Amino acid sequence: MQAVKQQAAAARRRATWQVGRFGFRGGRWVRWATLLLIPVAYLLTLRIYLLLHPGDATSHVSGGGYHVSLLQLRLNPRGMRALIRGQAGAVANRGAGNGTGGEASASGGKAVLDALMAEGAAVKGKPPSRVAICLVGGAREFHLTAPTLLRYLLPAYPSAHVFLLAPLDHSAHRLSLLAWPRLGEGAGAGGGVGMGGGLEMGIGEGEGEGEGEGPGYSLVQVSVLPDVPVNETRITNRLLEVVEGSEAQTRQGLMQQFKAVELCVTAITRYERAHAIRYDWILRTRVDGYWMGPPPPLAVLDPIAYTIPGGSDWGGLNDRLGMGGRKASWKALRRLSVLRPLVEQGGYSELNAERVYLAQMAFLQVQVARYDFPFCILSRKKGLPAFPVAASLSSTSAALNGAKCRPCRPTVVGGQAAKYILALPERIFGAQPHGIDLCRAEDDWAADWREIFDRDAGAVAAAVRQYSESRTFEECVEDWRHFRQQVDVWDAPPPVSICVRGLLGKFHKMGYPGGDFPVFLDPWVPPREGRRGRKPVVYSVVAGVDYSLDWALMRKLRCRVHAFDSTPEGLRWIGDKIDNLPPASWVHHAWMLGPEDRPLKVHPLDIADHPMEYALEPPPHMDASSLLPPIHVEAMTVEATMKLLNHSIVDILRIGGHVSLHEAIFQAWIHAKRAPPVCQIIISFHHGDKHYGSAETQQELLALRSLGLELGVCIRKDKLYESCVLFSVHHCKYDIT
């Protein structure tokens, strides 16, 4: 009996869990339930604490140039340990001597990166995260920002896939700098897309310290598409706030921005389906971002939240950059399609871009996290003081988080600049500003901004700028062909079409009745920095009665047009209209421009419902009833006319009339193996006779290329009529950058 009692007592002891002086009976499930309650209680306590102390959730801890929220560190102890080590290294470096604070900051930032990468590499069996980087926006300042993207942003995430989405405008030609074929060829140990070769910094993986390995990232898609207006509806007019005098803050401007961001979703989704992959992280930012350091490692970011830069919220959320996991990014990138639900279901109205972003995140229930990013937006916008550009974070101890910057000389420095920033109604930084200088931004960029940029941005950035602004048309085309070879998905016009916009700007539709003729006007339409001080020289040979393009050019450019027409129909029309022409703006010369300096035999073409035309040879398919007896008209070559009128160059030459007229002129140039100094030539193709896609015309255009003439843009009026502009790469030497 005693043995049985002892066994029962032992069993009761085994079923009892002692905690201090107290215990309770239970089985094994009690132990596991208690262990699970401990972390749940901790998280509930943390949640209650953050609700009672909201300031702590957004306060920042600094470590070597990086800043991270306390909540992120609590939820990511691995990242916290690495950050603490990086911070300690930065502090140790700061004590190494005077004047090394900036270097310590950069060294601490590198320590953070090294530690976090080491922690991530220690995780066995887990595949690396797939990262998609989507670059959007216009490339006006891309020749200044491209080196910083290549050095800091793109190599930050190994094996990242880069999507480039930009509008087709006069700045798009600069996008080829993302491939950078020329300085990279002699980079030596620069590595990847390196721009070493003795310059002070490298571009690509390892920042010029590699062994020639690739840059790590891949250019998977380039889309350069024409700007198509987005339909403005009652919904958009109610939701979007318009800022008077601001091009970017018009409703159409905002909707174009939202459309560009949402195109990231389309591009990434198509690539995933085509290659059976799935991205874990998506980073979206602007191509005009000037980077002074790398973005944060993935290890310190919360994949559930959507991370944006701190500060520069303007009443909403900073929309200059966004980064997050797949689920959060998919919601955050729906900038355009979310507008209708925001109005109809959310009841929002009259919001700027940042407030629309805040409303979108709240409506879609996206958790937002803050992080300090070392980049600024190169902007020519006037207003609030801007920050000067710098080669790296060693020049400043604060990340600018997408604030406006420009190449300039600081006017407010040190403590005075910090006081000014803190007094602004809008918080610029996520943390306290230190070591920040300011420049005046009430006026345009300084006349010597190029010298300032070359000095402050470093030798490599200066070399890229100088090459971009001085490269020839042929070099631009070759760069784009090299760019094309590096990209998997290509959705862009031919290189010639892109580069001509860099040479002449965007084309304008002009003439009667609805813009039948394409003309490049940017070299003469103010304001345009560096444009020539003279008015353009315009020649027009019509051989008929359609002078609508002449009138449009006179009104737009306020220049004189020299018209050449000795046909009876043209002389009769001019006699009727001469009294109503602007004085001294339209000068008529009673001869034609032709292939030789002698009278021409032309055939009048009486075509129903069409102005009278004159052909050098009667078209073989034309009905004999439409042919009138041939006549002789006075004619001179373009070179002889320029010599007579004392013109060294013709900026715009419009050749009207039948297609045989300009064909005869071109054949004379090809036979002489030289073309007169003419920049643009506007001609019309009549598809009833021959069109520019036919074998004969393609052969003619190929021959003209040997003279430096390229086919630019064509506008089709109907199935039988199309106007095109040719341009000379040798004689169109205008600075429109």
Side-chain angles (χ1 to χ4, degrees), residues 220-224 480 483-485 487-495 498:
V220 298
Q221 178 169 341
V222 171
S223 295
V224 184
W480 272 91
F483 193 17
R484 173 67 182 89
Q485 297 173 359
V487 180
D488 187 7
V489 180
W490 188 263
D491 187 11
I498 296 174

PDB file of all heavy atoms in Angstrom, residues 220-224 480 483-485 487-495 498:
ATOM      1  N   VAL A 220      16.169  44.882 -68.363  1.00  0.00           N
ATOM      2  CA  VAL A 220      15.271  43.913 -68.982  1.00  0.00           C
ATOM      3  C   VAL A 220      14.232  44.561 -69.886  1.00  0.00           C
ATOM      4  O   VAL A 220      13.726  43.910 -70.800  1.00  0.00           O
ATOM      5  CB  VAL A 220      14.562  43.053 -67.908  1.00  0.00           C
ATOM      6  CG1 VAL A 220      15.582  42.263 -67.108  1.00  0.00           C
ATOM      7  CG2 VAL A 220      13.712  43.902 -66.989  1.00  0.00           C
ATOM      8  N   GLN A 221      13.882  45.840 -69.670  1.00  0.00           N
ATOM      9  CA  GLN A 221      12.882  46.471 -70.537  1.00  0.00           C
ATOM     10  C   GLN A 221      13.149  47.961 -70.632  1.00  0.00           C
ATOM     11  O   GLN A 221      13.429  48.625 -69.633  1.00  0.00           O
ATOM     12  CB  GLN A 221      11.463  46.242 -70.016  1.00  0.00           C
ATOM     13  CG  GLN A 221      10.398  46.940 -70.873  1.00  0.00           C
ATOM     14  CD  GLN A 221       8.989  46.517 -70.552  1.00  0.00           C
ATOM     15  OE1 GLN A 221       8.771  45.475 -69.956  1.00  0.00           O
ATOM     16  NE2 GLN A 221       8.017  47.316 -70.951  1.00  0.00           N
ATOM     17  N   VAL A 222      13.047  48.465 -71.858  1.00  0.00           N
ATOM     18  CA  VAL A 222      13.109  49.902 -72.128  1.00  0.00           C
ATOM     19  C   VAL A 222      11.884  50.262 -72.959  1.00  0.00           C
ATOM     20  O   VAL A 222      11.677  49.710 -74.045  1.00  0.00           O
ATOM     21  CB  VAL A 222      14.401  50.291 -72.867  1.00  0.00           C
ATOM     22  CG1 VAL A 222      14.333  51.734 -73.331  1.00  0.00           C
ATOM     23  CG2 VAL A 222      15.619  50.075 -71.988  1.00  0.00           C
ATOM     24  N   SER A 223      11.075  51.170 -72.444  1.00  0.00           N
ATOM     25  CA  SER A 223       9.894  51.655 -73.153  1.00  0.00           C
ATOM     26  C   SER A 223       9.987  53.165 -73.266  1.00  0.00           C
ATOM     27  O   SER A 223      10.006  53.864 -72.246  1.00  0.00           O
ATOM     28  CB  SER A 223       8.612  51.255 -72.413  1.00  0.00           C
ATOM     29  OG  SER A 223       8.439  49.855 -72.406  1.00  0.00           O
ATOM     30  N   VAL A 224      10.084  53.655 -74.494  1.00  0.00           N
ATOM     31  CA  VAL A 224      10.105  55.090 -74.774  1.00  0.00           C
ATOM     32  C   VAL A 224       8.908  55.356 -75.677  1.00  0.00           C
ATOM     33  O   VAL A 224       8.948  55.092 -76.878  1.00  0.00           O
ATOM     34  CB  VAL A 224      11.422  55.521 -75.437  1.00  0.00           C
ATOM     35  CG1 VAL A 224      11.443  57.034 -75.627  1.00  0.00           C
ATOM     36  CG2 VAL A 224      12.616  55.074 -74.610  1.00  0.00           C
ATOM     37  N   TRP A 480      22.547  54.308 -79.011  1.00  0.00           N
ATOM     38  CA  TRP A 480      21.245  53.668 -78.875  1.00  0.00           C
ATOM     39  C   TRP A 480      21.258  52.261 -79.450  1.00  0.00           C
ATOM     40  O   TRP A 480      20.571  51.360 -78.925  1.00  0.00           O
ATOM     41  CB  TRP A 480      20.168  54.520 -79.544  1.00  0.00           C
ATOM     42  CG  TRP A 480      19.618  55.538 -78.595  1.00  0.00           C
ATOM     43  CD1 TRP A 480      20.061  56.815 -78.416  1.00  0.00           C
ATOM     44  CD2 TRP A 480      18.541  55.342 -77.686  1.00  0.00           C
ATOM     45  NE1 TRP A 480      19.327  57.426 -77.436  1.00  0.00           N
ATOM     46  CE2 TRP A 480      18.380  56.554 -76.975  1.00  0.00           C
ATOM     47  CE3 TRP A 480      17.701  54.280 -77.401  1.00  0.00           C
ATOM     48  CZ2 TRP A 480      17.405  56.714 -75.992  1.00  0.00           C
ATOM     49  CZ3 TRP A 480      16.723  54.437 -76.426  1.00  0.00           C
ATOM     50  CH2 TRP A 480      16.582  55.637 -75.731  1.00  0.00           C
ATOM     51  N   PHE A 483      22.763  50.287 -76.808  1.00  0.00           N
ATOM     52  CA  PHE A 483      21.778  50.169 -75.734  1.00  0.00           C
ATOM     53  C   PHE A 483      20.784  49.061 -76.052  1.00  0.00           C
ATOM     54  O   PHE A 483      20.422  48.249 -75.180  1.00  0.00           O
ATOM     55  CB  PHE A 483      21.075  51.520 -75.581  1.00  0.00           C
ATOM     56  CG  PHE A 483      20.256  51.660 -74.324  1.00  0.00           C
ATOM     57  CD1 PHE A 483      20.416  50.816 -73.251  1.00  0.00           C
ATOM     58  CD2 PHE A 483      19.308  52.674 -74.228  1.00  0.00           C
ATOM     59  CE1 PHE A 483      19.667  50.965 -72.097  1.00  0.00           C
ATOM     60  CE2 PHE A 483      18.553  52.829 -73.080  1.00  0.00           C
ATOM     61  CZ  PHE A 483      18.729  51.963 -72.021  1.00  0.00           C
ATOM     62  N   ARG A 484      20.343  49.017 -77.302  1.00  0.00           N
ATOM     63  CA  ARG A 484      19.355  48.020 -77.706  1.00  0.00           C
ATOM     64  C   ARG A 484      19.866  46.604 -77.499  1.00  0.00           C
ATOM     65  O   ARG A 484      19.102  45.690 -77.151  1.00  0.00           O
ATOM     66  CB  ARG A 484      18.985  48.245 -79.184  1.00  0.00           C
ATOM     67  CG  ARG A 484      18.081  47.173 -79.779  1.00  0.00           C
ATOM     68  CD  ARG A 484      16.712  47.209 -79.130  1.00  0.00           C
ATOM     69  NE  ARG A 484      15.841  46.169 -79.640  1.00  0.00           N
ATOM     70  CZ  ARG A 484      15.759  44.944 -79.124  1.00  0.00           C
ATOM     71  NH1 ARG A 484      16.530  44.603 -78.111  1.00  0.00           N
ATOM     72  NH2 ARG A 484      14.930  44.062 -79.613  1.00  0.00           N
ATOM     73  N   GLN A 485      21.147  46.391 -77.711  1.00  0.00           N
ATOM     74  CA  GLN A 485      21.718  45.046 -77.595  1.00  0.00           C
ATOM     75  C   GLN A 485      21.726  44.533 -76.159  1.00  0.00           C
ATOM     76  O   GLN A 485      21.845  43.326 -75.944  1.00  0.00           O
ATOM     77  CB  GLN A 485      23.141  45.049 -78.154  1.00  0.00           C
ATOM     78  CG  GLN A 485      23.222  45.371 -79.640  1.00  0.00           C
ATOM     79  CD  GLN A 485      24.647  45.532 -80.118  1.00  0.00           C
ATOM     80  OE1 GLN A 485      25.603  45.428 -79.345  1.00  0.00           O
ATOM     81  NE2 GLN A 485      24.802  45.815 -81.403  1.00  0.00           N
ATOM     82  N   VAL A 487      19.236  44.993 -73.888  1.00  0.00           N
ATOM     83  CA  VAL A 487      17.897  44.973 -73.304  1.00  0.00           C
ATOM     84  C   VAL A 487      17.115  43.805 -73.875  1.00  0.00           C
ATOM     85  O   VAL A 487      17.178  43.519 -75.081  1.00  0.00           O
ATOM     86  CB  VAL A 487      17.167  46.308 -73.570  1.00  0.00           C
ATOM     87  CG1 VAL A 487      15.769  46.297 -72.968  1.00  0.00           C
ATOM     88  CG2 VAL A 487      17.978  47.460 -72.998  1.00  0.00           C
ATOM     89  N   ASP A 488      16.349  43.153 -73.011  1.00  0.00           N
ATOM     90  CA  ASP A 488      15.539  42.010 -73.419  1.00  0.00           C
ATOM     91  C   ASP A 488      14.262  42.468 -74.141  1.00  0.00           C
ATOM     92  O   ASP A 488      13.991  42.063 -75.268  1.00  0.00           O
ATOM     93  CB  ASP A 488      15.191  41.169 -72.186  1.00  0.00           C
ATOM     94  CG  ASP A 488      14.483  39.876 -72.562  1.00  0.00           C
ATOM     95  OD1 ASP A 488      14.387  39.581 -73.764  1.00  0.00           O
ATOM     96  OD2 ASP A 488      14.023  39.157 -71.653  1.00  0.00           O
ATOM     97  N   VAL A 489      13.456  43.303 -73.487  1.00  0.00           N
ATOM     98  CA  VAL A 489      12.191  43.783 -74.057  1.00  0.00           C
ATOM     99  C   VAL A 489      12.389  45.227 -74.509  1.00  0.00           C
ATOM    100  O   VAL A 489      12.681  46.102 -73.686  1.00  0.00           O
ATOM    101  CB  VAL A 489      11.052  43.700 -73.023  1.00  0.00           C
ATOM    102  CG1 VAL A 489       9.752  44.207 -73.640  1.00  0.00           C
ATOM    103  CG2 VAL A 489      10.888  42.269 -72.522  1.00  0.00           C
ATOM    104  N   TRP A 490      12.201  45.483 -75.778  1.00  0.00           N
ATOM    105  CA  TRP A 490      12.463  46.810 -76.360  1.00  0.00           C
ATOM    106  C   TRP A 490      11.175  47.353 -76.956  1.00  0.00           C
ATOM    107  O   TRP A 490      10.580  46.761 -77.846  1.00  0.00           O
ATOM    108  CB  TRP A 490      13.542  46.704 -77.431  1.00  0.00           C
ATOM    109  CG  TRP A 490      14.008  48.030 -77.959  1.00  0.00           C
ATOM    110  CD1 TRP A 490      13.589  48.655 -79.101  1.00  0.00           C
ATOM    111  CD2 TRP A 490      14.977  48.897 -77.368  1.00  0.00           C
ATOM    112  NE1 TRP A 490      14.233  49.858 -79.255  1.00  0.00           N
ATOM    113  CE2 TRP A 490      15.097  50.030 -78.200  1.00  0.00           C
ATOM    114  CE3 TRP A 490      15.747  48.825 -76.212  1.00  0.00           C
ATOM    115  CZ2 TRP A 490      15.967  51.070 -77.913  1.00  0.00           C
ATOM    116  CZ3 TRP A 490      16.614  49.870 -75.926  1.00  0.00           C
ATOM    117  CH2 TRP A 490      16.715  50.975 -76.778  1.00  0.00           C
ATOM    118  N   ASP A 491      10.742  48.505 -76.464  1.00  0.00           N
ATOM    119  CA  ASP A 491       9.533  49.151 -76.956  1.00  0.00           C
ATOM    120  C   ASP A 491       9.835  50.634 -77.155  1.00  0.00           C
ATOM    121  O   ASP A 491       9.470  51.471 -76.333  1.00  0.00           O
ATOM    122  CB  ASP A 491       8.385  48.946 -75.963  1.00  0.00           C
ATOM    123  CG  ASP A 491       7.051  49.451 -76.514  1.00  0.00           C
ATOM    124  OD1 ASP A 491       6.982  49.754 -77.719  1.00  0.00           O
ATOM    125  OD2 ASP A 491       6.082  49.549 -75.730  1.00  0.00           O
ATOM    126  N   ALA A 492      10.526  50.936 -78.231  1.00  0.00           N
ATOM    127  CA  ALA A 492      10.979  52.301 -78.485  1.00  0.00           C
ATOM    128  C   ALA A 492      11.114  52.511 -79.983  1.00  0.00           C
ATOM    129  O   ALA A 492      11.294  51.557 -80.744  1.00  0.00           O
ATOM    130  CB  ALA A 492      12.319  52.566 -77.783  1.00  0.00           C
ATOM    131  N   PRO A 493      11.038  53.767 -80.443  1.00  0.00           N
ATOM    132  CA  PRO A 493      11.219  54.056 -81.871  1.00  0.00           C
ATOM    133  C   PRO A 493      12.654  53.761 -82.300  1.00  0.00           C
ATOM    134  O   PRO A 493      13.534  53.494 -81.471  1.00  0.00           O
ATOM    135  CB  PRO A 493      10.898  55.555 -81.962  1.00  0.00           C
ATOM    136  CG  PRO A 493      10.178  55.887 -80.709  1.00  0.00           C
ATOM    137  CD  PRO A 493      10.695  54.960 -79.662  1.00  0.00           C
ATOM    138  N   PRO A 494      12.926  53.798 -83.608  1.00  0.00           N
ATOM    139  CA  PRO A 494      14.304  53.613 -84.079  1.00  0.00           C
ATOM    140  C   PRO A 494      15.239  54.670 -83.497  1.00  0.00           C
ATOM    141  O   PRO A 494      14.812  55.774 -83.148  1.00  0.00           O
ATOM    142  CB  PRO A 494      14.175  53.750 -85.604  1.00  0.00           C
ATOM    143  CG  PRO A 494      12.746  53.471 -85.893  1.00  0.00           C
ATOM    144  CD  PRO A 494      11.969  53.956 -84.711  1.00  0.00           C
ATOM    145  N   PRO A 495      16.520  54.356 -83.381  1.00  0.00           N
ATOM    146  CA  PRO A 495      17.472  55.327 -82.812  1.00  0.00           C
ATOM    147  C   PRO A 495      17.473  56.671 -83.524  1.00  0.00           C
ATOM    148  O   PRO A 495      17.615  57.711 -82.880  1.00  0.00           O
ATOM    149  CB  PRO A 495      18.821  54.606 -82.952  1.00  0.00           C
ATOM    150  CG  PRO A 495      18.473  53.156 -82.931  1.00  0.00           C
ATOM    151  CD  PRO A 495      17.157  53.053 -83.633  1.00  0.00           C
ATOM    152  N   ILE A 498      14.717  58.867 -82.221  1.00  0.00           N
ATOM    153  CA  ILE A 498      14.961  59.365 -80.863  1.00  0.00           C
ATOM    154  C   ILE A 498      16.019  60.458 -80.876  1.00  0.00           C
ATOM    155  O   ILE A 498      15.872  61.500 -80.229  1.00  0.00           O
ATOM    156  CB  ILE A 498      15.377  58.202 -79.947  1.00  0.00           C
ATOM    157  CG1 ILE A 498      14.228  57.198 -79.806  1.00  0.00           C
ATOM    158  CG2 ILE A 498      15.799  58.716 -78.574  1.00  0.00           C
ATOM    159  CD1 ILE A 498      14.603  55.957 -79.026  1.00  0.00           C
TER     160      ILE A 498
END
